[in-house]
Amino acid sequence: MSFLELKDLRIHFPTDDGLVKSVDGLSFSLERGRTLGIVGESGSGKSVTSLGILGLHKGGRARISGEIWLDGEELVGASQEHVRGLRGKKMAMIFQDPLSAMHPFYTVGEQIIEAYRIHNDVSKKVARKHAVDMLGRVGIPQPERRVDSYPHEFSGGMRQRAMIAMALSCDPELLIADEPTTALDVTVQAQILDLMRDLQRDFNAALIVITHDLGVVAELSDDILVMYGGKCVEYGTSEDIFERPEHPYTWGLLGSMPRLDREPTERLLPIKGSPPSLINVPSGCAFHPRCAFEERTAGRAKTEVPELLETEGGHLVRCHLTRERRRAIWENEIKPNLEAS
Amino acid sequence: MVTYIIRRLIWAVVMLTIVSIITFGIFFLVPRLAGATSESLAARYVGRTASAEQVKIAADKLGFNDPLIVQYGRFAKGIVAGADYDYGPGVEHCPAPCFGYSFLTRLPVWPDLMDRLPVTLSLAIGAAVIWVIAGVATGVLSALRRGSLFDRAAMGVALAGVSLPIFFTGIVSLVVFSYGTPFRITAPGGSFTPFDENPAMWAYNLILPWITLAFLYAAGYARLTRAGMLETMNEDYIRTARAKGLSERRVVVKHGLRGALTPILTIFGLDLGLLLGGAVLTESTYSLPGMGKYAIDAITNQDLPKVMGVTLVAAFFVVFANLIVDLLYAVVDPRVRLG
Amino acid sequence: MNEEPLLSVQGLEKHFPVTKGLLKRQVGAVRAVDGISFDVMKGETLGLVGESGCGKTTTGRLITRLIEPTGGTIVFEGNDISHMSQGRLRPLRRDVQMIFQDPYSSLNPRHTVGAIVGAPFRIQGIKTEQGTKKAVQEILELVGLNPEHYNRYPHEFSGGQRQRIGIARTLALKPKLIIADEPVSALDVSIQAQVVNLLEDLQSELDLTYVVIAHDLSVVRHISDRVAVMYLGKIVEIADRKGLYEAPMHPYTNALLSAVPIPDPKRRKERDRIRLQGDVPSPLNPPPACRFHTRCWKAQDICRQVEPPLLTLAPGHQAACHFPENAPSGSAAAAPQEPAAAPAD
């Protein structure tokens, strides 16, 4: 069994308007030292997935089913107290906006020390030394001085470094980063991506990066999972996803992005419509109202939920089009348009 | 920080000066508009038996014929440096801070006020302790169990608390807990035992007024705390605290409540400042000889020097409380820079 | 390029005072925009890029005269509007419109789409031939919204549709210049492309001129004819799109381009990256002389002492650097001495 394994994870929230199926049957596995990128738009369920793994999806009302295996332990059925003991120690998380994710009234040091001392029975002095070490390790200059600063006294990039130091303080084996660079400037984003890559190598943790930015995913990930409407629509190595994508939604994402590494195209190739509401997920394939190739499925896309099937060597696709058809569309209709004529 | 405090202190003095000018103006003008003359005012000092001549001389000597500004100047000087009052029959020295003499008792106002202050302090601070603990605890529990029976019951009671006037809850509590009923827990109001004399009696005599006053405020604090907690518990940093593996209790108290505390602190400072100027209704209901009762008595007797004295002391507490709150703000929230 | 520019900005400055002490003395100023000059020709799109604190948003607010500049001039269609009173600016408000970043907070939730898009007609007191409703519905159709949604409220629309409503509002009065401040950065990837395409279609259909302010270099490259790169209140480089992206001269532009993550996993190992150290310094206390010298791997003594002027180093290509890259030899700012070329890390 892999280090982290999700089996048919479902997280549903009953609301006054109906049942919100944020995550609806998600399965994947991840080994130590590997990085998985989860890509999706707002409402795809990518953030709820990460909170679900940590047991942080909003308590009482959420309905969670399926299995989450972390290092041989099942978490969905485990007691809250047990999962709490693993949080911060065995699995840790980095959030999008480090300014709002750190408590404004406590110093950066206090917050790291707190994280360390929950799981390690050490004196404040030892914990403080550890906090200074961690701050130095994530590249914060003069850590013995900065440890006593408040989050608002840090710049955006330094804050995210501090956040990473806090998450890594107990040497976690699973690290989840939810849009870790979205709130940062471009040059600072590049620094943080470098740092995360280096630290992952040093810590040999399993890393999940959740983002809407295909560039960030390409920089970090070994494997990529594309989510749409609470389900995985495509999964593969990053080469699979960027060079041989087979799902129309993945094609749409690639066509939507202007790219610096290629000649500019005349027009972007967007996906029509908007991401679905998770209360009223479209019938059949959730993507079918926005799919440009829906009519080539002979109506199946409207009525039948497609299975997530292997197309080749671990590359999974959830689509009614046949493998041959998808490959032909990619080669003849999509790929040529992505590059400027 | 130091320049900030100095600037605020200067402002506090300016504020108090303005308040004193306004109150002085009102109390100087209003009786005259109602037909009082210098003589009729002086007559209240020298007594009814004095002849018209004596009254006229006293009015002169007391300065009632001087222009308004001169009279204010004398009044202000009295507060800072003390003053001498010449009634005709004799000169009385009133040491600083001098707020003048009572029309009625011919006693200086300030020592009277200082006699009353401990009562109001005891009442206000005791009640504050109760309402902060009860209000904040109720608010936190309500927020954590939003929509539960407890939440709805507590918010219902809180609504009643803010709506019911003190004289109602006060009298009901007196009837139920005091006047010889089986539930009797305390003596009827009207008695105050200083803390340093007998702490047990002090508390025993104050327990009903405390609870009555605290009920009113606790209700507001519960609502405020609940709203604040609902907001902070949705903050990103709460999610971070949970992700660190903190126990829920620690998340709520150390991260949630700490974040929700700032607005409560502000309101608390202002409320306490206002109360220290006299918990008028509570003191009247329980016949406690505090500043509020003093003010009521002064107003009923049209004893202007007393009213002015009590007004200024109350204003002082409000201004001072504001200053303390602003300074505490910087302590509670490190993002606030005073400067 | 002989025609008059639609918009001409010369030496534009905006300093926000900072006060301190007992008497609130002014002790300094945030130099949000500190002497920038550029022209925008009719029908073109100028991109303004830079990181947080570079002054790009302030520049947008200055051009639309939402705030008043502390120095310099803004000339729109030959009229100096730098210090015009609000009353005299009224006609300008028709011609210059702004698209905001956040389609959630920039639309009044209590007004219907019809009221929001129709508001400019009412405010400017314009009578349309077929009535306001008809005019509004035509605009809604133009931006790809269903005209029958005239009576709906903003919350009934998705983020992308809301941004279309925001665009429709700016189009109501047939403006000549549109300032778009981060028009797509709050939107989902697939929606971003829709809005970018819409902006391009509208430009060719309605003969619009755009100033697009954004931090996303790839979006700016896609949409702009010319691009200005800002750093701490200054323009450090301005050039046509091809020149700027293919032969950037300023080291900061180089670093920015190199920092953009490329969605191509094969290239992540082979790329030759420039990694800047640290964050952008505070605009309250910007470094002297060349403001980029604290983070620049090419910085020499001269960079700390003499501010490099923005010079034309190639046709239509200006950069403010003592040691520009990709500059044709013999150009005006040829380096006084060979700089050490090795990146710092």
Side-chain angles (χ1 to χ4, degrees):
Chain A
M1 183 178 270
S2 302
F3 172 64
L4 174 71
E5 229 172 290
L6 266 64
K7 288 183 183 165
D8 197 31
L9 183 71
R10 287 166 204 268
I11 304 177
H12 296 177
F13 299 91
T15 68
D16 294 342
D17 299 324
L19 192 62
V20 175
K21 298 179 176 177
S22 295
V23 182
D24 201 28
L26 187 69
S27 307
F28 66 81
S29 59
L30 181 64
E31 296 295 347
R32 281 191 190 84
R34 298 279 289 182
T35 300
L36 172 71
I38 302 184
V39 187
E41 297 181 275
S42 55
S44 62
K46 58 191 195 301
S47 287
V48 177
T49 304
S50 64
L51 293 174
I53 296 172
L54 264 74
L56 288 176
H57 55 285
K58 289 207 173 149
R61 261 173 292 165
R63 290 187 204 148
I64 183 164
S65 67
E67 296 164 34
I68 300 171
W69 292 87
L70 180 74
D71 205 9
E73 264 187 280
E74 210 285 310
L75 300 186
V76 173
S79 78
Q80 287 207 19
E81 201 46 32
H82 183 72
V83 177
R84 182 177 75 74
L86 298 175
R87 270 206 298 273
K89 183 163 178 60
K90 194 142 191 168
M91 47 190 186
M93 189 150 178
I94 301 167
F95 297 99
Q96 171 173 354
D97 181 358
L99 184 59
S100 62
M102 296 188 98
H103 202 296
F105 298 172
Y106 297 107
T107 65
V108 167
E110 282 167 343
Q111 300 188 47
I112 299 177
I113 290 167
E114 185 184 37
Y116 189 56
R117 288 190 71 205
I118 305 166
H119 303 290
N120 296 279
D121 187 18
V122 295
S123 70
K124 274 200 171 142
K125 212 172 146 192
V126 174
R128 188 186 154 87
K129 170 112 196 356
H130 183 69
V132 173
D133 286 349
M134 288 307 300
L135 288 176
R137 196 149 170 199
V138 297
I140 290 178
Q142 295 178 286
E144 47 299 298
R145 203 170 58 80
R146 301 297 287 177
V147 73
D148 293 321
S149 302
Y150 288 95
H152 70 271
E153 296 168 318
F154 276 52
S155 65
M158 287 300 149
R159 260 196 304 266
Q160 194 58 297
R161 284 174 195 266
M163 189 81 213
I164 293 173
M166 188 156 87
L168 293 179
S169 63
C170 295
D171 209 351
E173 292 168 76
L174 170 66
L175 184 62
I176 303 179
D178 188 355
E179 302 275 8
T181 59
T182 308
L184 304 175
D185 277 324
V186 184
T187 56
V188 179
Q189 164 171 288
Q191 296 168 9
I192 298 293
L193 291 179
D194 284 349
L195 176 71
M196 287 180 58
R197 210 178 294 120
D198 292 348
L199 288 174
Q200 197 217 4
R201 206 177 40 231
D202 296 355
F203 282 75
N204 196 35
L207 177 62
I208 298 180
V209 181
I210 293 165
T211 178
H212 69 280
D213 187 329
L214 288 172
V216 169
V217 178
E219 292 270 340
L220 291 176
S221 312
D222 302 307
D223 304 308
I224 294 173
L225 190 156
V226 183
M227 272 187 94
Y228 190 83
K231 289 186 164 69
C232 168
V233 295
E234 184 162 8
Y235 174 90
T237 62
S238 48
E239 282 78 17
D240 286 339
I241 300 296
F242 283 99
E243 282 157 38
R244 299 174 290 277
E246 289 196 25
H247 197 280
Y249 177 62
T250 316
W251 299 336
L253 287 180
L254 291 169
S256 295
M257 280 197 332
R259 291 175 64 155
L260 281 185
D261 59 333
R262 291 186 183 155
E263 280 298 308
T265 50
E266 267 310 300
R267 285 180 70 77
L268 298 175
L269 308 165
I271 309 169
K272 65 185 176 191
S274 308
S277 132
L278 288 171
I279 294 179
N280 267 321
V281 180
S283 63
C285 171
F287 186 61
H288 86 258
R290 307 179 70 192
C291 183
F293 309 97
E294 179 258 323
E295 67 272 18
R296 301 191 201 179
T297 64
R300 282 176 74 202
K302 285 199 181 79
T303 52
E304 204 179 312
V305 180
E307 294 284 311
L308 186 67
L309 296 174
E310 185 160 12
T311 171
E312 188 174 20
H315 185 175
L316 310 175
V317 184
R318 190 189 287 277
C319 183
H320 284 306
L321 298 169
T322 61
R323 181 190 304 173
E324 291 67 33
R325 203 153 208 182
R326 293 194 300 256
R327 287 186 181 165
I329 294 173
W330 167 250
E331 287 297 334
N332 305 325
E333 297 177 45
I334 307 291
K335 202 173 164 194
N337 283 331
L338 292 181
E339 285 161 50
S341 41
Chain B
M1 182 78 177
V2 176
T3 54
Y4 176 80
I5 295 177
I6 292 171
R7 193 161 70 220
R8 283 301 305 263
L9 281 175
I10 293 172
W11 265 114
V13 171
V14 171
M15 274 304 292
L16 286 174
T17 312
I18 292 170
V19 170
S20 75
I21 290 174
I22 293 171
T23 39
F24 188 85
I26 291 172
F27 290 120
F28 180 87
L29 282 177
V30 168
R32 269 157 226 265
L33 290 176
T37 60
S38 306
E39 283 75 24
S40 66
L41 287 173
R44 307 196 62 171
Y45 279 103
V46 293
R48 291 200 184 99
T49 54
S51 68
E53 188 66 13
Q54 279 172 311
V55 170
K56 200 168 164 14
I57 294 169
D60 259 353
K61 286 191 173 164
L62 287 169
F64 285 134
N65 290 321
D66 293 335
L68 176 60
I69 185 116
V70 175
Q71 291 196 39
Y72 173 75
R74 197 160 36 227
F75 171 72
K77 188 180 161 219
I79 296 175
V80 181
D84 289 320
Y85 280 78
D86 189 343
Y87 297 115
V91 178
E92 285 192 51
H93 177 68
C94 164
C98 173
F99 286 84
Y101 276 79
S102 157
F103 286 160
L104 220 60
T105 58
R106 287 244 205 128
L107 290 172
V109 170
W110 179 251
D112 251 14
L113 281 173
M114 288 304 101
D115 272 356
R116 304 299 187 99
L117 191 60
V119 180
T120 299
L121 271 178
S122 305
L123 176 64
I125 291 174
V129 170
I130 298 175
W131 92 56
V132 167
I133 293 173
V136 170
T138 312
V140 169
L141 289 176
S142 269
L144 294 182
R145 300 180 190 160
R146 185 183 188 180
S148 68
L149 195 63
F150 174 84
D151 179 26
R152 274 179 273 174
M155 285 305 114
V157 173
L159 187 65
V162 273
S163 325
L164 295 175
I166 290 267
F167 46 81
F168 178 76
T169 48
I171 288 168
V172 168
S173 70
L174 271 177
V175 170
V176 175
F177 295 112
S178 196
Y179 298 119
T181 63
F183 309 108
R184 182 175 167 168
I185 52 166
T186 177
S191 39
F192 174 76
T193 317
F195 180 77
D196 47 6
E197 225 168 76
N198 185 345
M201 275 309 285
W202 171 78
Y204 178 70
N205 280 326
L206 280 170
I207 188 84
L208 262 195
W210 277 346
I211 291 173
T212 311
L213 188 55
F215 184 51
L216 173 74
Y217 283 92
Y221 280 64
R223 291 160 66 92
L224 194 70
T225 309
R226 180 177 180 273
M229 281 301 281
L230 285 178
E231 199 182 309
T232 44
M233 290 308 282
N234 270 326
E235 293 279 354
D236 285 357
Y237 57 75
I238 296 297
R239 195 181 51 188
T240 311
R242 292 204 175 108
K244 287 201 263 187
L246 295 186
S247 65
E248 195 55 26
R249 204 187 134 104
R250 216 176 145 102
V251 170
V252 169
V253 175
K254 203 180 158 194
H255 292 254
L257 189 55
R258 175 76 198 267
L261 221 49
T262 8
I264 297 169
L265 181 77
T266 317
I267 304 287
F268 178 71
L270 299 180
D271 283 345
L272 195 62
L274 273 173
L275 268 189
L276 288 177
V280 177
L281 288 174
T282 315
E283 289 174 15
S284 303
T285 307
Y286 292 94
S287 308
L288 283 170
M291 308 255 293
K293 186 82 182 9
Y294 186 78
I296 292 285
D297 293 345
I299 291 166
T300 352
N301 295 320
Q302 295 182 29
D303 202 341
L304 291 187
K306 278 187 174 180
V307 178
M308 260 168 46
V310 90
T311 308
L312 283 178
V313 170
F316 168 79
F317 278 124
V318 171
V319 170
F320 191 67
N322 252 312
L323 176 61
I324 300 283
V325 165
D326 285 354
L327 293 179
L328 274 182
Y329 233 99
V331 177
V332 174
D333 186 345
R335 288 171 301 181
V336 174
R337 276 234 194 90
L338 303 176
Chain C
M1 293 288 261
N2 297 327
E3 53 178 328
E4 280 280 293
L6 181 70
L7 174 78
S8 178
V9 169
Q10 288 301 322
L12 191 63
E13 280 181 9
K14 180 66 192 181
H15 295 180
F16 296 101
V18 177
T19 58
K20 201 183 170 185
L22 211 56
L23 302 168
K24 299 259 180 203
R25 272 174 303 117
Q26 185 180 338
V27 289
V30 177
R31 293 156 170 262
V33 174
D34 203 19
I36 62 169
S37 307
F38 59 85
D39 289 343
V40 183
M41 295 297 166
K42 196 161 172 30
E44 81 167 342
T45 300
L46 176 74
L48 273 182
V49 276
E51 296 179 282
S52 51
C54 73
K56 55 187 194 297
T57 293
T58 308
T59 306
R61 291 160 54 101
L62 284 168
I63 300 171
T64 41
R65 274 304 316 281
L66 292 173
I67 50 175
E68 193 170 347
T70 28
T73 56
I74 308 162
V75 176
F76 179 74
E77 287 197 308
N79 299 317
D80 186 344
I81 60 165
S82 340
H83 301 288
M84 243 181 214
S85 67
Q86 288 301 319
R88 291 188 53 211
L89 277 172
R90 242 183 129 100
L92 177 84
R93 300 258 178 260
R94 289 180 66 168
D95 291 339
V96 182
Q97 289 283 336
M98 195 149 182
I99 299 172
F100 296 96
Q101 168 176 7
D102 186 352
Y104 291 84
S105 61
S106 58
L107 301 178
N108 187 334
R110 291 178 211 289
H111 289 177
T112 62
V113 171
I116 290 169
V117 179
F121 291 115
R122 283 199 308 281
I123 293 167
Q124 295 273 358
I126 291 167
K127 295 270 183 293
T128 47
E129 288 156 37
Q130 345 84 305
T132 309
K133 182 169 178 183
K134 194 88 187 17
V136 168
Q137 287 185 328
E138 271 174 19
I139 298 166
L140 289 180
E141 199 154 12
L142 190 65
V143 298
L145 289 169
N146 187 342
E148 282 160 28
H149 293 169
Y150 184 85
N151 280 322
R152 295 203 180 176
Y153 288 90
H155 69 87
E156 297 174 65
F157 294 89
S158 68
Q161 288 172 317
R162 278 184 230 215
Q163 193 58 299
R164 285 174 195 265
I165 298 171
I167 293 172
R169 171 173 59 184
T170 65
L171 294 177
L173 297 173
K174 303 201 171 22
K176 294 173 178 150
L177 176 65
I178 289 183
I179 316 290
D181 190 359
E182 301 279 7
V184 298
S185 61
L187 304 175
D188 273 319
V189 184
S190 67
I191 310 297
Q192 280 190 10
Q194 294 173 4
V195 173
V196 165
N197 282 353
L198 174 67
L199 287 174
E200 289 186 335
D201 292 346
L202 291 172
Q203 179 166 41
S204 54
E205 226 164 293
L206 303 174
D207 199 17
L208 294 170
T209 307
Y210 290 137
V211 174
V212 176
I213 298 164
H215 70 278
D216 186 325
L217 288 132
S218 10
V219 168
V220 167
R221 177 170 86 152
H222 186 84
I223 204 168
S224 310
D225 301 307
R226 283 193 306 134
V227 179
V229 180
M230 289 186 73
Y231 187 76
L232 285 173
K234 298 265 186 201
I235 289 181
V236 297
E237 183 162 4
I238 181 166
D240 59 64
R241 162 169 80 180
K242 201 170 159 62
L244 191 109
Y245 282 88
E246 284 170 22
M249 293 182 180
H250 200 282
Y252 178 61
T253 313
N254 261 307
L256 268 185
L257 290 174
S258 143
V260 176
I262 298 294
D264 186 349
K266 264 188 313 189
R267 310 244 319 236
R268 78 174 168 219
K269 277 134 208 155
E270 57 195 59
R271 270 174 84 200
D272 193 14
R273 288 162 205 274
I274 304 164
R275 282 290 182 260
L276 292 183
Q277 295 293 307
D279 288 89
V280 183
S282 157
L284 176 59
N285 217 341
C290 176
R291 293 183 175 186
F292 186 57
H293 81 247
T294 52
R295 298 171 83 197
C296 184
W297 63 97
K298 294 175 101 179
Q300 306 283 312
D301 282 342
I302 185 172
C303 304
R304 293 173 202 104
Q305 289 147 7
V306 183
E307 182 171 340
L310 188 64
L311 295 176
T312 303
L313 303 181
H317 197 146
Q318 293 174 291
C321 180
H322 292 298
F323 307 104
E325 296 171 21
N326 296 318
S329 51
S331 63
Q337 65 204 53
E338 267 310 299
D345 79 333

